Amino acid sequence: MESWALDVIARIFSLPVPPNVNRDTPDPESLPVIPDDDAAWELTKTPEAVAFNKHLAAYTEGHDLAPAQKIAPNLILKNLNPFESYNCSFVRAHTNIPVPQPRYTHLKQFFVADLIPGRMLLECWDSLSSFYQFRIACTLRGYVSQMRRVTSDRPGGIKLGHVRGVLFDPNLWNGPFRDVETFRNWIVNITYLDRVHRDQGFRMKNPNMPPPPTPPLPELLPDSEWNLVLTHCDLSLSNIILSDDGVLWVIDWEWGGFYPPWIESRGMKRYTWAPASWKRWFTFIAGASDNTDHIWSHMDDIASAYATSVPREDYWPDQL
């Protein structure tokens, strides 16, 4: 009943979304001709592109090069993730969440999409009124609700079920997993393996102390929390754009996939540096994930234990 009431409130105060916002449009004649990757990269050298890159890089701590670059008044370019274009097209086809349209899908090294005139929430969140922040949270709750109506029987990436990203390992590939039970077994094994490694480290550093007890297998959430729903996995202030006409767009779908609902909340919680005025809305937007803290603290160091440098073509073994 509480969730239903919050959904009603969210619908009332959400920002408007234009009808057919995700309808594909033909390439305008104003778009530049980009026959190959070299031609695309040349467009990053224009004064406009350089200025835009410098602006974005200011929000990317420790980097001189922004993760995306403006290559035309209405185009953005970034390094190609194998599945980002497919993921964007999938979300555009199955939801009404505003997602920029991919362009130039023939490129091999770069991903190009429509540039949304506006500002990242990272740029403007603190300047918004509390009421407008609330409306954005309502809008995002509605987006997450839409995603959770899109389900699958196979965990992992939307297209082929591979597991990769900031919540797992951003550089290596895990999976694909045949079903949610195998995915759960993998998480259990990862968690247990890290506990054993920590226990071994303690023994090496403290040889004269009594050894700690053998760590038990981790307790996971009940079966009802493991239904697989469409998940962005990285809803952050930098991946949400408030357009100049007041529409909320969600970008960077490269890690999107089908995961338990609490994964969305875990993805938001990793941004510990975010302002309190943003973190206060995490549970309202995506639900809680506090009861997964005890397992996810082990994921970063050990997720690569079974990973590969290129996506597997076969399923991960059924038994771990």
Side-chain angles (χ1 to χ4, degrees), residues 300-312:
D300 287 347
D301 294 333
I302 306 295
S304 60
Y306 305 109
T308 56
S309 58
V310 295
R312 290 186 182 92

Side-chain angles (χ1 to χ4, degrees), residues 191-199 203 212-218:
T191 305
Y192 181 76
L193 186 60
D194 189 49
R195 288 179 177 178
V196 170
H197 283 192
R198 295 183 185 188
D199 174 64
R203 292 169 186 261
T214 302
L217 287 173

Side-chain angles (χ1 to χ4, degrees), residues 122-191:
L122 185 61
E123 300 177 72
C124 65
W125 177 260
D126 287 334
S127 67
L128 302 174
S129 69
S130 297
F131 180 65
Y132 205 88
Q133 291 176 352
F134 164 68
R135 293 195 67 190
I136 287 175
C138 287
T139 307
L140 291 173
R141 181 182 175 91
Y143 290 174
V144 170
S145 179
Q146 281 194 60
M147 287 192 283
R148 289 177 177 171
R149 292 195 290 270
V150 183
T151 62
S152 175
D153 295 328
R154 183 189 63 189
I158 296 172
K159 187 175 184 179
L160 297 177
H162 297 96
V163 173
R164 186 185 181 193
V166 290
L167 284 175
F168 304 98
D169 190 307
N171 300 310
L172 298 174
W173 300 87
N174 278 289
F177 303 99
R178 188 179 302 276
D179 50 37
V180 69
E181 182 178 358
T182 313
F183 181 63
R184 287 183 63 179
N185 289 342
W186 175 72
I187 291 180
V188 168
N189 198 63
I190 290 292
T191 305

Side-chain angles (χ1 to χ4, degrees), residues 65-274:
L65 188 66
Q69 300 186 59
K70 183 178 182 180
I71 58 172
N74 51 354
L75 291 176
I76 197 83
L77 173 144
K78 60 189 295 190
N79 287 331
L80 181 68
N81 173 284
F83 304 119
E84 183 166 10
S85 180
Y86 181 91
N87 291 356
C88 288
S89 297
F90 181 92
V91 178
R92 285 170 57 84
H94 290 81
T95 75
N96 197 43
I97 301 168
V99 175
Q101 181 176 339
R103 307 279 183 182
Y104 304 97
T105 55
H106 64 281
L107 297 179
K108 306 299 183 184
Q109 299 178 27
F110 300 113
F111 170 74
V112 178
D114 288 344
L115 171 65
I116 306 304
R119 295 180 294 170
M120 299 182 297
L121 289 189
L122 185 61
E123 300 177 72
C124 65
W125 177 260
D126 287 334
S127 67
L128 302 174
S129 69
S130 297
F131 180 65
Y132 205 88
Q133 291 176 352
F134 164 68
R135 293 195 67 190
I136 287 175
C138 287
T139 307
L140 291 173
R141 181 182 175 91
Y143 290 174
V144 170
S145 179
Q146 281 194 60
M147 287 192 283
R148 289 177 177 171
R149 292 195 290 270
V150 183
T151 62
S152 175
D153 295 328
R154 183 189 63 189
I158 296 172
K159 187 175 184 179
L160 297 177
H162 297 96
V163 173
R164 186 185 181 193
V166 290
L167 284 175
F168 304 98
D169 190 307
N171 300 310
L172 298 174
W173 300 87
N174 278 289
F177 303 99
R178 188 179 302 276
D179 50 37
V180 69
E181 182 178 358
T182 313
F183 181 63
R184 287 183 63 179
N185 289 342
W186 175 72
I187 291 180
V188 168
N189 198 63
I190 290 292
T191 305
Y192 181 76
L193 186 60
D194 189 49
R195 288 179 177 178
V196 170
H197 283 192
R198 295 183 185 188
D199 174 64
Q200 292 172 344
F202 177 85
R203 292 169 186 261
M204 292 179 63
K205 293 179 179 179
N206 304 277
N208 298 322
M209 294 184 65
T214 302
L217 287 173
E219 296 182 4
L220 300 184
L221 300 175
D223 291 343
S224 61
E225 297 293 338
W226 287 84
N227 54 306
L228 301 173
V229 298
L230 182 61
T231 309
H232 183 279
C233 293
D234 194 18
L235 283 179
S236 68
L237 291 170
S238 60
N239 288 337
I240 303 166
I241 295 177
L242 181 62
S243 69
D244 292 340
D245 56 359
V247 177
L248 205 63
W249 294 74
V250 181
I251 62 172
D252 287 357
W253 289 88
E254 59 262 44
W255 309 130
F258 291 100
Y259 296 101
W262 47 268
I263 286 287
E264 198 75 88
S265 179
R266 290 234 59 85
M268 299 184 75
K269 285 181 64 176
R270 62 181 290 269
Y271 290 96
T272 56
W273 50 262

